[in-house]
mmCIF file of all heavy atoms in Angstrom:
data_model
loop_
_atom_site.group_PDB
_atom_site.id
_atom_site.type_symbol
_atom_site.label_atom_id
_atom_site.label_comp_id
_atom_site.label_asym_id
_atom_site.label_seq_id
_atom_site.Cartn_x
_atom_site.Cartn_y
_atom_site.Cartn_z
ATOM 1 N N GLU A 459 95.463 83.002 104.040
ATOM 2 C CA GLU A 459 95.239 81.728 104.665
ATOM 3 C C GLU A 459 94.466 81.873 106.000
ATOM 4 O O GLU A 459 93.607 81.047 106.367
ATOM 5 C CB GLU A 459 96.621 81.081 104.979
ATOM 6 C CG GLU A 459 97.275 80.693 103.769
ATOM 7 C CD GLU A 459 98.715 80.611 103.947
ATOM 8 O OE1 GLU A 459 99.197 80.663 105.019
ATOM 9 O OE2 GLU A 459 99.449 80.451 102.884
ATOM 10 N N ILE A 460 94.767 82.933 106.574
ATOM 11 C CA ILE A 460 94.034 83.230 107.807
ATOM 12 C C ILE A 460 92.551 83.342 107.518
ATOM 13 O O ILE A 460 91.766 82.750 108.180
ATOM 14 C CB ILE A 460 94.476 84.535 108.382
ATOM 15 C CG1 ILE A 460 95.878 84.330 109.004
ATOM 16 C CG2 ILE A 460 93.565 85.002 109.435
ATOM 17 C CD1 ILE A 460 96.639 85.581 109.089
ATOM 18 N N TYR A 461 92.423 84.091 106.517
ATOM 19 C CA TYR A 461 91.050 84.333 106.121
ATOM 20 C C TYR A 461 90.358 83.005 105.782
ATOM 21 O O TYR A 461 89.235 82.688 106.240
ATOM 22 C CB TYR A 461 90.973 85.154 104.859
ATOM 23 C CG TYR A 461 89.618 85.421 104.469
ATOM 24 C CD1 TYR A 461 88.832 86.284 105.196
ATOM 25 C CD2 TYR A 461 89.024 84.783 103.359
ATOM 26 C CE1 TYR A 461 87.489 86.518 104.869
ATOM 27 C CE2 TYR A 461 87.732 85.012 103.004
ATOM 28 C CZ TYR A 461 86.990 85.842 103.783
ATOM 29 O OH TYR A 461 85.660 86.071 103.410
ATOM 30 N N GLN A 462 91.068 82.208 105.113
ATOM 31 C CA GLN A 462 90.505 80.967 104.711
ATOM 32 C C GLN A 462 90.121 80.132 106.002
ATOM 33 O O GLN A 462 89.074 79.576 106.103
ATOM 34 C CB GLN A 462 91.569 80.151 103.944
ATOM 35 C CG GLN A 462 90.995 79.112 103.082
ATOM 36 C CD GLN A 462 92.039 78.597 102.165
ATOM 37 O OE1 GLN A 462 93.228 78.697 102.430
ATOM 38 N NE2 GLN A 462 91.573 77.969 101.108
ATOM 39 N N ARG A 463 91.062 80.146 106.896
ATOM 40 C CA ARG A 463 90.813 79.431 108.098
ATOM 41 C C ARG A 463 89.619 79.974 108.845
ATOM 42 O O ARG A 463 88.723 79.259 109.326
ATOM 43 C CB ARG A 463 91.978 79.449 108.979
ATOM 44 C CG ARG A 463 93.097 78.682 108.463
ATOM 45 C CD ARG A 463 94.258 78.948 109.330
ATOM 46 N NE ARG A 463 95.364 78.329 108.762
ATOM 47 C CZ ARG A 463 96.613 78.796 109.018
ATOM 48 N NH1 ARG A 463 96.827 79.843 109.696
ATOM 49 N NH2 ARG A 463 97.616 78.152 108.561
ATOM 50 N N ASN A 464 89.589 81.181 108.848
ATOM 51 C CA ASN A 464 88.486 81.854 109.484
ATOM 52 C C ASN A 464 87.177 81.366 108.896
ATOM 53 O O ASN A 464 86.230 81.059 109.574
ATOM 54 C CB ASN A 464 88.504 83.380 109.405
ATOM 55 C CG ASN A 464 89.220 83.930 110.626
ATOM 56 O OD1 ASN A 464 88.849 83.507 111.712
ATOM 57 N ND2 ASN A 464 90.179 84.854 110.420
ATOM 58 N N LEU A 465 87.219 81.281 107.643
ATOM 59 C CA LEU A 465 86.055 80.909 106.952
ATOM 60 C C LEU A 465 85.645 79.467 107.327
ATOM 61 O O LEU A 465 84.534 79.174 107.653
ATOM 62 C CB LEU A 465 86.296 80.769 105.459
ATOM 63 C CG LEU A 465 86.047 82.039 104.714
ATOM 64 C CD1 LEU A 465 86.456 81.813 103.244
ATOM 65 C CD2 LEU A 465 84.639 82.432 104.868
ATOM 66 N N LEU A 466 86.662 78.651 107.405
ATOM 67 C CA LEU A 466 86.316 77.322 107.613
ATOM 68 C C LEU A 466 85.922 77.000 109.025
ATOM 69 O O LEU A 466 85.004 76.229 109.321
ATOM 70 C CB LEU A 466 87.563 76.443 107.333
ATOM 71 C CG LEU A 466 87.989 76.603 105.806
ATOM 72 C CD1 LEU A 466 89.321 76.026 105.623
ATOM 73 C CD2 LEU A 466 86.960 75.864 105.011
ATOM 74 N N LEU A 467 86.558 77.724 109.869
ATOM 75 C CA LEU A 467 86.307 77.457 111.246
ATOM 76 C C LEU A 467 85.106 78.141 111.755
ATOM 77 O O LEU A 467 84.487 77.755 112.726
ATOM 78 C CB LEU A 467 87.511 77.861 112.089
ATOM 79 C CG LEU A 467 88.767 77.139 111.679
ATOM 80 C CD1 LEU A 467 89.912 77.606 112.497
ATOM 81 C CD2 LEU A 467 88.473 75.647 111.964
ATOM 82 N N ASP A 468 84.769 79.127 111.089
ATOM 83 C CA ASP A 468 83.700 80.015 111.677
ATOM 84 C C ASP A 468 82.708 80.331 110.587
ATOM 85 O O ASP A 468 82.498 81.485 110.252
ATOM 86 C CB ASP A 468 84.482 81.235 112.149
ATOM 87 C CG ASP A 468 83.493 82.126 112.880
ATOM 88 O OD1 ASP A 468 82.617 81.620 113.569
ATOM 89 O OD2 ASP A 468 83.665 83.337 112.685
ATOM 90 N N SER A 469 82.137 79.367 110.138
ATOM 91 C CA SER A 469 81.339 79.584 108.906
ATOM 92 C C SER A 469 80.038 80.413 109.366
ATOM 93 O O SER A 469 79.560 81.173 108.496
ATOM 94 C CB SER A 469 80.833 78.318 108.264
ATOM 95 O OG SER A 469 80.653 77.371 109.257
ATOM 96 N N HIS A 470 79.688 80.343 110.543
ATOM 97 C CA HIS A 470 78.533 81.140 110.882
ATOM 98 C C HIS A 470 78.947 82.542 111.308
ATOM 99 O O HIS A 470 78.176 83.257 111.899
ATOM 100 C CB HIS A 470 77.725 80.498 112.009
ATOM 101 C CG HIS A 470 78.536 80.319 113.316
ATOM 102 N ND1 HIS A 470 79.433 79.429 113.463
ATOM 103 C CD2 HIS A 470 78.348 81.043 114.467
ATOM 104 C CE1 HIS A 470 79.915 79.578 114.686
ATOM 105 N NE2 HIS A 470 79.274 80.511 115.267
ATOM 106 N N ALA A 471 80.201 82.775 111.157
ATOM 107 C CA ALA A 471 80.781 84.063 111.214
ATOM 108 C C ALA A 471 80.068 85.131 112.079
ATOM 109 O O ALA A 471 79.038 85.571 111.731
ATOM 110 C CB ALA A 471 81.089 84.574 109.811
ATOM 111 N N ALA A 472 80.848 85.559 113.023
ATOM 112 C CA ALA A 472 80.348 86.650 113.798
ATOM 113 C C ALA A 472 80.597 87.961 113.095
ATOM 114 O O ALA A 472 79.964 88.962 113.385
ATOM 115 C CB ALA A 472 80.961 86.676 115.163
ATOM 116 N N SER A 473 81.544 87.940 112.239
ATOM 117 C CA SER A 473 81.898 89.197 111.638
ATOM 118 C C SER A 473 81.032 89.551 110.448
ATOM 119 O O SER A 473 80.513 88.650 109.718
ATOM 120 C CB SER A 473 83.350 89.222 111.225
ATOM 121 O OG SER A 473 83.665 88.030 110.665
ATOM 122 N N THR A 474 80.947 90.816 110.153
ATOM 123 C CA THR A 474 80.112 91.204 109.118
ATOM 124 C C THR A 474 80.834 91.069 107.731
ATOM 125 O O THR A 474 82.093 91.052 107.738
ATOM 126 C CB THR A 474 79.760 92.673 109.260
ATOM 127 O OG1 THR A 474 80.870 93.449 109.057
ATOM 128 C CG2 THR A 474 79.129 92.901 110.614
ATOM 129 N N PRO A 475 80.117 91.080 106.691
ATOM 130 C CA PRO A 475 80.697 91.044 105.405
ATOM 131 C C PRO A 475 81.777 92.173 105.270
ATOM 132 O O PRO A 475 82.755 91.995 104.685
ATOM 133 C CB PRO A 475 79.639 91.233 104.438
ATOM 134 C CG PRO A 475 78.397 90.700 105.200
ATOM 135 C CD PRO A 475 78.691 91.005 106.601
ATOM 136 N N LEU A 476 81.400 93.218 105.710
ATOM 137 C CA LEU A 476 82.330 94.367 105.589
ATOM 138 C C LEU A 476 83.594 94.096 106.304
ATOM 139 O O LEU A 476 84.716 94.353 105.813
ATOM 140 C CB LEU A 476 81.663 95.581 106.147
ATOM 141 C CG LEU A 476 82.434 96.858 105.836
ATOM 142 C CD1 LEU A 476 82.484 97.109 104.351
ATOM 143 C CD2 LEU A 476 81.827 98.076 106.564
ATOM 144 N N ASP A 477 83.476 93.562 107.482
ATOM 145 C CA ASP A 477 84.625 93.247 108.201
ATOM 146 C C ASP A 477 85.485 92.240 107.447
ATOM 147 O O ASP A 477 86.705 92.383 107.339
ATOM 148 C CB ASP A 477 84.270 92.570 109.538
ATOM 149 C CG ASP A 477 83.663 93.603 110.487
ATOM 150 O OD1 ASP A 477 84.044 94.753 110.347
ATOM 151 O OD2 ASP A 477 82.906 93.243 111.349
ATOM 152 N N GLU A 478 84.788 91.274 106.887
ATOM 153 C CA GLU A 478 85.557 90.343 106.123
ATOM 154 C C GLU A 478 86.255 90.957 105.027
ATOM 155 O O GLU A 478 87.347 90.663 104.659
ATOM 156 C CB GLU A 478 84.521 89.296 105.575
ATOM 157 C CG GLU A 478 83.702 88.637 106.612
ATOM 158 C CD GLU A 478 84.490 87.487 107.264
ATOM 159 O OE1 GLU A 478 85.300 86.961 106.651
ATOM 160 O OE2 GLU A 478 84.189 87.213 108.436
ATOM 161 N N TYR A 479 85.571 91.841 104.404
ATOM 162 C CA TYR A 479 86.146 92.479 103.279
ATOM 163 C C TYR A 479 87.463 93.201 103.657
ATOM 164 O O TYR A 479 88.457 93.094 102.985
ATOM 165 C CB TYR A 479 85.107 93.507 102.719
ATOM 166 C CG TYR A 479 85.634 94.291 101.567
ATOM 167 C CD1 TYR A 479 85.766 93.768 100.393
ATOM 168 C CD2 TYR A 479 86.091 95.622 101.780
ATOM 169 C CE1 TYR A 479 86.308 94.501 99.346
ATOM 170 C CE2 TYR A 479 86.600 96.378 100.770
ATOM 171 C CZ TYR A 479 86.675 95.824 99.516
ATOM 172 O OH TYR A 479 87.171 96.465 98.495
ATOM 173 N N TYR A 480 87.337 93.860 104.666
ATOM 174 C CA TYR A 480 88.672 94.624 105.054
ATOM 175 C C TYR A 480 89.626 93.600 105.553
ATOM 176 O O TYR A 480 90.846 93.726 105.320
ATOM 177 C CB TYR A 480 88.303 95.510 106.259
ATOM 178 C CG TYR A 480 87.641 96.829 105.736
ATOM 179 C CD1 TYR A 480 86.409 97.180 106.038
ATOM 180 C CD2 TYR A 480 88.376 97.565 104.797
ATOM 181 C CE1 TYR A 480 85.827 98.343 105.653
ATOM 182 C CE2 TYR A 480 87.782 98.709 104.294
ATOM 183 C CZ TYR A 480 86.523 99.107 104.752
ATOM 184 O OH TYR A 480 85.923 100.271 104.232
ATOM 185 N N ASN A 481 89.103 92.646 106.157
ATOM 186 C CA ASN A 481 90.034 91.614 106.661
ATOM 187 C C ASN A 481 90.947 91.141 105.582
ATOM 188 O O ASN A 481 92.094 90.863 105.825
ATOM 189 C CB ASN A 481 89.118 90.494 107.106
ATOM 190 C CG ASN A 481 89.839 89.654 108.161
ATOM 191 O OD1 ASN A 481 91.019 89.881 108.406
ATOM 192 N ND2 ASN A 481 89.211 88.630 108.623
ATOM 193 N N MET A 482 90.414 90.964 104.414
ATOM 194 C CA MET A 482 91.196 90.371 103.416
ATOM 195 C C MET A 482 92.252 91.341 102.917
ATOM 196 O O MET A 482 93.274 90.948 102.447
ATOM 197 C CB MET A 482 90.335 90.100 102.211
ATOM 198 C CG MET A 482 89.068 89.529 102.631
ATOM 199 S SD MET A 482 88.767 88.252 101.541
ATOM 200 C CE MET A 482 90.210 87.340 101.794
ATOM 201 N N ASN A 483 91.894 92.557 102.912
ATOM 202 C CA ASN A 483 92.727 93.417 102.232
ATOM 203 C C ASN A 483 93.893 93.947 103.133
ATOM 204 O O ASN A 483 94.847 94.493 102.637
ATOM 205 C CB ASN A 483 91.993 94.627 101.723
ATOM 206 C CG ASN A 483 91.158 94.281 100.559
ATOM 207 O OD1 ASN A 483 91.562 93.407 99.818
ATOM 208 N ND2 ASN A 483 90.036 94.897 100.361
ATOM 209 N N PHE A 484 93.752 93.731 104.261
ATOM 210 C CA PHE A 484 94.853 94.154 105.199
ATOM 211 C C PHE A 484 95.623 93.114 105.703
ATOM 212 O O PHE A 484 95.113 92.058 106.145
ATOM 213 C CB PHE A 484 94.195 94.984 106.319
ATOM 214 C CG PHE A 484 93.643 96.264 105.851
ATOM 215 C CD1 PHE A 484 92.304 96.446 105.807
ATOM 216 C CD2 PHE A 484 94.519 97.269 105.368
ATOM 217 C CE1 PHE A 484 91.817 97.716 105.404
ATOM 218 C CE2 PHE A 484 94.060 98.451 104.921
ATOM 219 C CZ PHE A 484 92.681 98.664 104.924
ATOM 220 N N GLY A 485 96.868 93.346 105.705
ATOM 221 C CA GLY A 485 97.696 92.854 106.698
ATOM 222 C C GLY A 485 98.138 91.418 106.633
ATOM 223 O O GLY A 485 97.740 90.578 105.928
ATOM 224 N N MET A 486 99.044 91.281 107.495
ATOM 225 C CA MET A 486 99.747 90.122 107.723
ATOM 226 C C MET A 486 99.587 89.638 109.168
ATOM 227 O O MET A 486 99.468 90.454 110.055
ATOM 228 C CB MET A 486 101.241 90.323 107.541
ATOM 229 C CG MET A 486 101.561 90.553 106.121
ATOM 230 S SD MET A 486 101.229 89.142 105.225
ATOM 231 C CE MET A 486 102.095 87.957 106.217
ATOM 232 N N GLN A 487 99.565 88.419 109.240
ATOM 233 C CA GLN A 487 99.540 87.926 110.651
ATOM 234 C C GLN A 487 100.443 86.811 110.736
ATOM 235 O O GLN A 487 100.777 86.148 109.776
ATOM 236 C CB GLN A 487 98.096 87.505 110.920
ATOM 237 C CG GLN A 487 97.144 88.579 110.693
ATOM 238 C CD GLN A 487 95.744 88.161 110.919
ATOM 239 O OE1 GLN A 487 95.476 86.919 110.879
ATOM 240 N NE2 GLN A 487 94.882 89.028 111.202
ATOM 241 N N ASN A 488 100.777 86.585 111.929
ATOM 242 C CA ASN A 488 101.616 85.355 111.927
ATOM 243 C C ASN A 488 101.023 84.520 113.053
ATOM 244 O O ASN A 488 100.350 85.035 113.940
ATOM 245 C CB ASN A 488 103.034 85.723 112.350
ATOM 246 C CG ASN A 488 103.123 85.771 113.832
ATOM 247 O OD1 ASN A 488 102.400 86.447 114.551
ATOM 248 N ND2 ASN A 488 104.091 85.027 114.350
ATOM 249 N N MET A 489 101.368 83.414 113.027
ATOM 250 C CA MET A 489 100.841 82.480 114.002
ATOM 251 C C MET A 489 101.658 81.206 113.974
ATOM 252 O O MET A 489 102.472 81.013 113.156
ATOM 253 C CB MET A 489 99.435 82.155 113.651
ATOM 254 C CG MET A 489 99.194 81.895 112.179
ATOM 255 S SD MET A 489 97.565 82.072 111.798
ATOM 256 C CE MET A 489 97.583 83.894 111.720
ATOM 257 N N GLU A 490 101.339 80.433 114.866
ATOM 258 C CA GLU A 490 102.152 79.277 114.974
ATOM 259 C C GLU A 490 101.515 78.063 114.245
ATOM 260 O O GLU A 490 101.499 76.969 114.654
ATOM 261 C CB GLU A 490 102.380 78.904 116.434
ATOM 262 C CG GLU A 490 100.975 78.843 117.075
ATOM 263 C CD GLU A 490 101.096 78.496 118.593
ATOM 264 O OE1 GLU A 490 102.243 78.004 118.920
ATOM 265 O OE2 GLU A 490 100.210 78.712 119.279
ATOM 266 N N MET A 491 100.921 78.412 113.187
ATOM 267 C CA MET A 491 100.192 77.465 112.497
ATOM 268 C C MET A 491 100.937 76.592 111.560
ATOM 269 O O MET A 491 100.448 75.668 110.924
ATOM 270 C CB MET A 491 99.140 78.161 111.698
ATOM 271 C CG MET A 491 98.231 79.033 112.433
ATOM 272 S SD MET A 491 97.391 78.105 113.788
ATOM 273 C CE MET A 491 96.523 77.012 112.728
ATOM 274 N N SER A 492 102.225 76.821 111.463
ATOM 275 C CA SER A 492 102.948 76.205 110.434
ATOM 276 C C SER A 492 102.671 74.702 110.288
ATOM 277 O O SER A 492 102.548 74.170 109.288
ATOM 278 C CB SER A 492 104.433 76.459 110.628
ATOM 279 O OG SER A 492 104.682 76.854 111.842
ATOM 280 N N GLU A 493 102.509 74.116 111.447
ATOM 281 C CA GLU A 493 102.384 72.689 111.383
ATOM 282 C C GLU A 493 101.148 72.236 110.701
ATOM 283 O O GLU A 493 100.992 71.185 110.243
ATOM 284 C CB GLU A 493 102.343 72.106 112.833
ATOM 285 C CG GLU A 493 103.438 72.653 113.761
ATOM 286 C CD GLU A 493 102.843 73.722 114.559
ATOM 287 O OE1 GLU A 493 101.926 73.536 115.234
ATOM 288 O OE2 GLU A 493 103.392 74.923 114.542
ATOM 289 N N TYR A 494 100.244 73.126 110.628
ATOM 290 C CA TYR A 494 98.960 72.807 110.059
ATOM 291 C C TYR A 494 98.960 72.842 108.582
ATOM 292 O O TYR A 494 98.026 72.503 107.916
ATOM 293 C CB TYR A 494 97.817 73.664 110.638
ATOM 294 C CG TYR A 494 97.644 73.506 112.105
ATOM 295 C CD1 TYR A 494 98.187 74.391 113.012
ATOM 296 C CD2 TYR A 494 96.957 72.367 112.611
ATOM 297 C CE1 TYR A 494 97.979 74.160 114.377
ATOM 298 C CE2 TYR A 494 96.767 72.174 113.913
ATOM 299 C CZ TYR A 494 97.311 73.127 114.798
ATOM 300 O OH TYR A 494 97.153 72.860 116.097
ATOM 301 N N TYR A 495 100.045 73.366 108.121
ATOM 302 C CA TYR A 495 100.014 73.606 106.678
ATOM 303 C C TYR A 495 100.632 72.512 105.896
ATOM 304 O O TYR A 495 101.736 72.019 106.205
ATOM 305 C CB TYR A 495 100.696 74.917 106.320
ATOM 306 C CG TYR A 495 99.853 76.019 106.658
ATOM 307 C CD1 TYR A 495 100.033 76.728 107.844
ATOM 308 C CD2 TYR A 495 98.788 76.362 105.836
ATOM 309 C CE1 TYR A 495 99.168 77.768 108.109
ATOM 310 C CE2 TYR A 495 97.947 77.374 106.071
ATOM 311 C CZ TYR A 495 98.094 78.102 107.268
ATOM 312 O OH TYR A 495 97.266 79.138 107.561
ATOM 313 N N ASP A 496 100.058 72.323 104.802
ATOM 314 C CA ASP A 496 100.761 71.561 103.789
ATOM 315 C C ASP A 496 101.581 72.562 103.054
ATOM 316 O O ASP A 496 101.138 73.465 102.407
ATOM 317 C CB ASP A 496 99.770 70.938 102.850
ATOM 318 C CG ASP A 496 100.436 70.270 101.746
ATOM 319 O OD1 ASP A 496 101.685 70.331 101.692
ATOM 320 O OD2 ASP A 496 99.765 69.644 100.897
ATOM 321 N N PRO A 497 102.878 72.355 103.105
ATOM 322 C CA PRO A 497 103.771 73.314 102.525
ATOM 323 C C PRO A 497 103.535 73.594 101.049
ATOM 324 O O PRO A 497 103.647 74.675 100.500
ATOM 325 C CB PRO A 497 105.167 72.655 102.662
ATOM 326 C CG PRO A 497 105.028 71.709 103.736
ATOM 327 C CD PRO A 497 103.592 71.259 103.767
ATOM 328 N N TRP A 498 103.024 72.603 100.441
ATOM 329 C CA TRP A 498 102.668 72.703 99.041
ATOM 330 C C TRP A 498 101.711 73.780 98.806
ATOM 331 O O TRP A 498 101.640 74.400 97.747
ATOM 332 C CB TRP A 498 102.182 71.420 98.558
ATOM 333 C CG TRP A 498 103.072 70.645 97.608
ATOM 334 C CD1 TRP A 498 103.257 69.333 97.676
ATOM 335 C CD2 TRP A 498 103.838 71.136 96.612
ATOM 336 N NE1 TRP A 498 104.177 68.976 96.688
ATOM 337 C CE2 TRP A 498 104.547 70.067 96.033
ATOM 338 C CE3 TRP A 498 104.114 72.434 96.117
ATOM 339 C CZ2 TRP A 498 105.483 70.251 95.048
ATOM 340 C CZ3 TRP A 498 104.986 72.546 95.082
ATOM 341 C CH2 TRP A 498 105.665 71.466 94.540
ATOM 342 N N LEU A 499 100.920 73.974 99.689
ATOM 343 C CA LEU A 499 99.786 74.866 99.474
ATOM 344 C C LEU A 499 100.152 76.302 99.647
ATOM 345 O O LEU A 499 99.361 77.188 99.362
ATOM 346 C CB LEU A 499 98.576 74.419 100.369
ATOM 347 C CG LEU A 499 98.045 73.117 100.000
ATOM 348 C CD1 LEU A 499 97.033 72.735 101.034
ATOM 349 C CD2 LEU A 499 97.460 73.154 98.604
ATOM 350 N N ILE A 500 101.292 76.516 100.132
ATOM 351 C CA ILE A 500 101.679 77.812 100.398
ATOM 352 C C ILE A 500 102.561 78.376 99.323
ATOM 353 O O ILE A 500 103.723 77.919 99.121
ATOM 354 C CB ILE A 500 102.423 77.987 101.711
ATOM 355 C CG1 ILE A 500 101.415 77.529 102.743
ATOM 356 C CG2 ILE A 500 102.748 79.387 101.958
ATOM 357 C CD1 ILE A 500 101.901 77.591 104.178
ATOM 358 N N ALA A 501 102.066 79.254 98.597
ATOM 359 C CA ALA A 501 102.824 79.823 97.539
ATOM 360 C C ALA A 501 103.607 81.006 98.095
ATOM 361 O O ALA A 501 103.291 81.535 99.102
ATOM 362 C CB ALA A 501 101.919 80.258 96.422
#
Side-chain angles (χ1 to χ4, degrees):
Chain A
E459 291 158 10
I460 287 156
Y461 181 72
Q462 202 170 20
R463 289 172 184 155
N464 265 314
L465 270 180
L466 297 167
L467 298 178
D468 185 36
S469 37
H470 65 286
S473 45
T474 70
L476 189 63
D477 289 335
E478 302 279 332
Y479 177 76
Y480 282 118
N481 202 359
M482 320 223 53
N483 286 331
F484 289 110
M486 289 296 308
Q487 302 178 338
N488 90 308
M489 43 200 79
E490 52 180 344
M491 303 301 299
S492 17
E493 315 97 54
Y494 296 100
Y495 284 101
D496 175 359
W498 252 138
L499 294 173
I500 301 184

